[in-house]
Amino acid sequence: MKLLVFILYTASAYAATNATVAPIPVPSSPYLPRIYRYVDILLENPTQTTKLHHYQNLLRLLYTLSELSSKPKYRDAADVALHSWLQQVPAPDAQIARPWMLWNRCFEIAPEASSRFALAVLENKITNHPGFYLRTLSAAYAHTTNEVFLRATETLLKPYERSESAPTLSFTIDCDGCARLLPEGLAARLRSLARRGDDAAARDDPAAIMFVSRYQNTGNVAHRDAVQALANAELNSSPDNLSALRLGHAISLQLAAWRSDARHDHLKKARAFGDFALTKFFDGTPELVPGIDTLALSLVELHLHILYITAVRCPPNTIDR
Amino acid sequence: MLLLLFIAACSASGASLTNDFLQTVRRYADTMIEHARDTYGPQKSGLLLSALDRGTLSPLTVRPAAPGGIRRGDRPGRPWTAMNGANPHLDQNLLRILYTLTEITADGRYAKVADEELTWFFQNTMSPTTSLLPWGEHLSWDVMLDIPISGGDEMMHEYARPWVLWDRCFALVPAASAKFALGVWEHQIANHKTGGFDRHAPYFEHGPVDGKDFARHAGFYIGTWCYAWKCTTNQVFLEAIETLLARFERKRRQKDGSEVATIGPLECHLAAEMVPDPLASRLLAFARKEDELIVPDLRKQLDGRVVAPPLWQSGYSAGTLASSAMFCWARYQQTSNHVYADLITRYADRYTQSRPEEDVDVWPMSFGHVISTQVAAYRLTDKAGYLEEAQRFARMAVDVFWQDNPLPRASMQTGHYETITGADSLALALLEVHAAVHGLTNHVPSNTIDR
């Protein structure tokens, strides 16, 4: 024992002049190379690339891959898909599944087409997904300052403000996000709606990923506790029956919990989910299947977390709502 | 009578809010003193850890997720393992807060802890070969292993920002302070004729190179040597200042004849107040020229003629608009130049009713600078609206970063404590708000060193 103490002491004293601590190996992360392979093959396949605009998280991922790799081909493919998307305005009875989060890029590369699209959405009054509608109107206002979008936003909000029911957590996210794009009067009304939505969130049964979004934008400890509780509940769960979408959410939820409480269990579980995902969804011929974009995004998020890369920021995996 | 009651109610309400800010900062300091001092390993140094687990209020057993924009090699801990570094450079505003708390509360415990940190660090961690310290951008002191460590692969000394506690350091540990200042000249500056240097210099052994001589680092060195000259009158420090000044007098002029800002005016002006003429006059002239070159660019940013920094998102070597305001505030305090006063109020106005953009991993430092910008605008104009905005941002920051914990978290998307993102700068801003609301005459240090 005395010998051990002596050795440790000597090592410490010596270390004051020399780096004597053995380096720790870089953790392995197989995820990003597999995503590159998947995307590279996918982009070579015209039957797949014509569908890209239906996979919004893949488009967001493509922009991220260009940042990570400095290769413009990913961004270029996403831009082509955005142009395609802007040509097809959803019909009034279209079933929209997600808000559209790529408006900034749309207005950047195709301002006129984006404005036309937003006006057509306004005309069609696509309200099965109020968040989609609100995001479109507020982004269009932010980029054009056309007051027609403000008036439409006011009209959209009134029934929610009159209603005794609080907005869903999904719409709450959109209200709070869009408030940052609009003039203060309207922004305050949106924030007020968002507060009602937050207060009522416990009564809903929202997807865990929505709590992640709210927590990351508010710091509200109730949302943090929800994220951690939901992540803890999945620590011992099996991924066997999870769809690509649910698996992507499960990975991103564990990563959100890891960021929040620094418990290594969460990062470990995210890796376990990620390893399973590679085997089940990325071993065969790359193709676009429902939810694969969300899963791919979560795997890149996982890679960045494992290697502590922050110069490139991964888009939040919270738009499936 | 009713009016008096109303005023009393308003005062009481205001007092409770602002007292909260002092309480928040004091609780932060108390918790750091109780839970975050080095009592580990063979040497119980008493140094404050630069990162902590907020859940357990104890050292981290992992390397936690990184706040957005923070590079791996800059964090206070060895790569890929538990983060247990103490880096006074990153904690500098916390140390300034401790001194200020002693002034405000008359509790000497706070200043004592800061004194102990500076004393132990300077006396025990200095490289015996280079006299450089394990602090700054990449290095720290591992409180478990009791050795200097790097967040990256190499033991490279680099300032993270200016060190502004030299007066205190020379009072506490004069010989060690002078030795470090000399170490910067001898082991950071590669060419003593041209002043060629690299912002990176090996900590363990002599090996400076003439490489990436980022101009702001020349300012940091000058800001060190001027105190060393003041406290020792060793001529070598005047020679060191003159050499770097001459280097950037030359480098200011581009090949096409145009001129660009280099070191910036702050440390040159600071040094001019300590060194004799003719060097002092040269430094002042240099600083004035830097003003001429910098101000038009700042105006262009505010006018939208060039891309301005983001309002809220910080990253490596990428500050926010409010961090530019902090530069202006520092320079205004040196010169009372109304040009800078005008810029500060314009920056403050840009943040009116602002909130962080969606999904941005905001740092506490960003909030701290926004708050300090509003306080600065209030002090310049005496307009209550600025102080109200400062309070609004301060309340938001306390909710977002402190939450239900005595320590602030590292960013909006992480949960641990880590000062690299400016938790200490935010706390300093809260003290500024407290002082402004209560009209305190205590000196609260300017929140202008994150640059």
Side-chain angles (χ1 to χ4, degrees):
Chain A
M1 184 63 187
K2 278 185 178 173
L3 180 64
L4 179 64
V5 170
F6 174 77
I7 291 169
L8 282 173
Y9 177 79
T10 310
S12 299
Y14 184 64
T17 52
N18 288 284
T20 56
V21 186
I24 293 168
V26 179
S28 68
S29 174
Y31 311 105
L32 188 61
R34 297 290 290 276
I35 294 300
Y36 275 128
R37 179 179 165 274
Y38 169 82
V39 170
D40 286 344
I41 296 174
L42 203 67
L43 293 184
E44 295 296 317
N45 184 345
T47 63
Q48 301 290 319
T49 51
T50 52
K51 296 190 289 186
L52 276 183
H53 55 287
H54 296 303
Y55 294 84
Q56 191 182 166
N57 271 335
L58 190 62
L59 302 183
R60 299 167 84 207
L61 176 61
L62 289 174
Y63 291 115
T64 308
L65 292 181
S66 265
E67 279 192 68
L68 280 167
S69 66
S70 301
K71 291 179 182 171
K73 70 173 183 177
Y74 304 110
R75 183 180 58 239
D76 293 345
D79 283 349
V80 169
L82 289 191
H83 283 292
S84 297
W85 190 74
L86 289 170
Q87 301 310 313
Q88 300 169 29
V89 179
D93 58 350
Q95 289 301 302
I96 306 285
R98 301 156 151 174
W100 186 251
M101 304 301 289
L102 287 163
W103 277 121
N104 279 347
R105 186 65 183 165
C106 284
F107 273 97
E108 194 178 328
I109 63 170
E112 287 176 14
S114 298
S115 293
R116 272 199 308 275
F117 187 105
L119 286 167
V121 165
L122 196 159
E123 184 74 20
N124 286 356
K125 292 191 168 41
I126 296 163
T127 52
N128 91 291
H129 196 303
F132 174 86
Y133 195 51
L134 179 62
R135 290 272 178 188
T136 305
L137 298 176
S138 51
Y141 173 75
H143 286 276
T144 66
T145 66
N146 183 341
E147 298 218 344
V148 70
F149 296 115
L150 281 188
R151 290 195 291 275
T153 304
E154 292 199 351
T155 307
L156 170 69
L157 293 190
K158 276 177 188 161
Y160 290 95
E161 292 174 323
R162 281 198 299 264
S163 171
E164 289 187 5
S165 319
T168 62
L169 199 54
S170 174
F171 192 49
T172 296
I173 294 169
D174 295 313
C175 286
D176 193 34
C178 292
R180 301 158 209 248
L181 304 176
L182 296 169
E184 183 48 31
L186 202 46
R189 287 167 61 187
L190 284 164
R191 286 198 298 270
S192 169
L193 269 177
R195 273 192 297 276
R196 282 176 56 199
D198 281 334
D199 291 343
R203 292 203 301 269
D204 296 340
D205 184 20
I209 217 70
M210 295 192 213
F211 285 115
V212 172
S213 176
R214 289 311 287 147
Y215 180 53
Q216 291 184 170
N217 282 286
T218 65
N220 183 328
V221 292
H223 297 318
R224 177 198 63 196
D225 295 346
V227 167
Q228 289 178 352
L230 289 161
N232 288 340
E234 289 189 2
L235 279 176
N236 294 315
S237 68
S238 160
D240 290 349
N241 297 319
L242 294 181
S243 65
L245 182 79
R246 284 285 297 114
L247 196 50
H249 286 176
I251 292 167
S252 290
L253 174 64
Q254 292 300 329
L255 293 176
W258 158 245
R259 287 194 298 273
S260 160
D261 66 9
R263 272 183 55 200
H264 206 257
D265 289 352
H266 295 302
L267 186 59
K268 204 170 148 191
K269 187 66 180 178
R271 290 191 70 130
F273 282 144
D275 292 343
F276 177 83
L278 287 186
T279 307
K280 184 171 177 183
F281 292 98
F282 293 93
D283 263 356
T285 307
E287 60 177 336
L288 290 168
V289 297
I292 196 78
D293 55 340
T294 295
L295 179 56
L297 186 61
S298 75
L299 291 175
V300 172
E301 188 184 6
L302 175 59
H303 173 85
L304 298 182
H305 275 73
I306 289 170
L307 294 180
Y308 298 93
I309 296 169
T310 64
V312 172
R313 304 186 192 209
C314 197
N317 199 1
T318 56
I319 69 170
D320 298 301
R321 48 191 172 76
Chain B
M1 187 61 187
L2 274 175
L3 180 64
L4 283 176
L5 285 173
F6 177 71
I7 292 169
C10 290
S11 305
S13 161
S16 71
L17 280 174
T18 51
N19 276 339
D20 280 349
F21 298 139
L22 178 60
Q23 276 305 106
T24 300
V25 177
R26 200 167 177 177
R27 207 155 66 102
Y28 169 28
D30 290 342
T31 305
M32 291 300 292
I33 291 170
E34 190 175 343
H35 297 280
R37 298 188 76 189
D38 172 18
T39 56
Y40 312 97
Q43 300 188 68
K44 324 292 183 199
S45 70
L47 295 176
L48 294 157
L49 274 82
S50 301
L52 213 68
D53 186 322
R54 281 168 82 233
T56 60
L57 296 181
S58 58
L60 287 151
T61 55
V62 296
R63 169 171 273 244
I70 291 296
R71 298 184 306 174
R72 208 164 43 215
D74 296 349
R75 303 178 77 190
R78 290 182 297 140
W80 316 116
T81 187
M83 217 161 64
N84 293 315
N87 182 347
H89 231 279
L90 296 183
D91 291 336
Q92 192 175 177
N93 273 335
L94 178 58
L95 298 174
R96 299 167 88 203
I97 283 168
L98 294 178
Y99 288 120
T100 308
L101 280 178
T102 284
E103 277 200 42
I104 292 177
T105 66
D107 183 343
R109 187 171 56 116
Y110 300 110
K112 182 170 176 285
V113 169
D115 279 352
E116 286 170 358
E117 164 127 346
L118 295 178
T119 303
W120 196 92
F121 193 76
F122 273 73
Q123 287 183 338
N124 293 279
T125 72
M126 191 174 280
S127 164
T129 307
T130 65
S131 303
L132 298 175
L133 291 162
W135 66 357
E137 190 90 6
H138 307 291
L139 307 183
S140 58
W141 181 260
D142 190 306
V143 302
M144 300 293 175
L145 302 170
D146 292 316
I147 54 169
I149 55 165
S150 171
D153 299 329
E154 296 177 304
M155 288 293 295
M156 284 297 176
H157 179 264
E158 180 185 5
Y159 277 66
R161 51 183 173 179
W163 182 252
V164 297
L165 290 167
W166 282 123
D167 268 334
R168 195 69 199 143
C169 287
F170 273 100
L172 292 167
V173 278
S177 298
K179 201 170 171 188
F180 170 82
L182 198 58
V184 172
W185 172 239
E186 291 179 343
H187 301 286
Q188 187 98 45
I189 309 303
N191 187 326
H192 286 188
K193 283 190 176 167
T194 66
F197 69 90
D198 191 295
R199 73 200 193 286
H200 288 158
Y203 162 88
F204 280 122
E205 61 225 5
H206 178 79
V209 293
D210 187 348
K212 292 185 177 172
D213 58 341
F214 289 11
R216 60 190 265 272
H217 287 263
F220 303 156
Y221 308 150
I222 289 171
T224 298
W225 293 327
C226 63
Y227 283 100
W229 155 257
K230 186 178 79 168
C231 297
T232 67
T233 63
N234 183 339
Q235 292 287 328
V236 73
F237 296 120
L238 292 184
E239 181 195 338
I241 292 170
E242 198 280 334
T243 302
L244 283 202
L245 180 64
R247 179 176 184 80
F248 285 95
E249 284 170 338
R250 291 192 300 273
K251 291 194 82 168
R252 170 185 276 163
R253 187 166 293 281
Q254 303 292 285
K255 282 179 184 166
D256 64 1
S258 63
E259 292 182 311
V260 294
T262 56
I263 302 176
L266 295 173
E267 275 76 23
C268 294
H269 187 111
L270 174 77
E273 291 175 338
M274 297 182 207
V275 302
D277 264 333
L279 184 55
S281 299
R282 246 174 95 187
L283 284 161
L284 278 180
F286 188 90
R288 280 194 295 272
K289 185 66 183 176
E290 293 287 285
D291 288 333
E292 284 175 29
L293 294 167
I294 289 170
V295 167
D297 286 341
L298 296 178
R299 285 194 176 125
K300 278 182 198 165
Q301 286 178 358
L302 283 165
D303 293 342
R305 285 182 283 150
V306 295
V307 177
L311 288 176
W312 292 96
Q313 180 167 297
S314 296
Y316 166 69
S317 195
T320 60
L321 206 57
S323 66
S324 301
M326 288 297 90
F327 160 76
C328 295
W329 182 229
R331 190 61 180 142
Y332 177 79
Q333 289 178 307
Q334 283 184 333
T335 62
S336 300
N337 183 340
H338 70 90
V339 168
Y340 284 110
D342 292 344
L343 286 168
I344 290 164
T345 54
R346 291 185 65 191
Y347 284 117
D349 291 342
R350 284 289 290 273
Y351 280 93
T352 305
Q353 296 293 338
S354 173
R355 279 157 38 95
E357 298 90 352
E358 189 175 18
D359 293 322
V360 169
D361 193 10
V362 181
W363 295 0
M365 182 192 293
S366 302
F367 261 94
H369 291 168
V370 172
I371 293 165
S372 294
T373 300
Q374 299 295 332
V375 174
Y378 167 69
R379 293 202 182 279
L380 287 167
T381 65
D382 212 24
K383 287 183 180 169
Y386 290 120
L387 190 54
E388 286 162 14
E389 276 295 273
Q391 289 175 280
R392 182 178 76 82
F393 285 122
R395 283 192 291 272
M396 202 189 301
V398 172
D399 285 347
V400 165
F401 293 106
W402 269 268
Q403 302 174 300
D404 52 0
N405 198 284
L407 298 182
R409 56 188 175 138
S411 71
M412 269 189 88
Q413 296 187 10
T414 54
H416 64 285
Y417 170 79
E418 185 177 355
T419 43
I420 193 167
T421 48
D424 55 347
S425 300
L426 172 56
L428 188 58
L430 296 186
L431 279 187
E432 283 189 285
V433 176
H434 174 81
V437 170
H438 288 272
L440 300 188
T441 53
N442 305 88
H443 172 68
V444 177
S446 288
N447 201 358
T448 55
I449 66 169
D450 299 308
R451 52 190 167 80

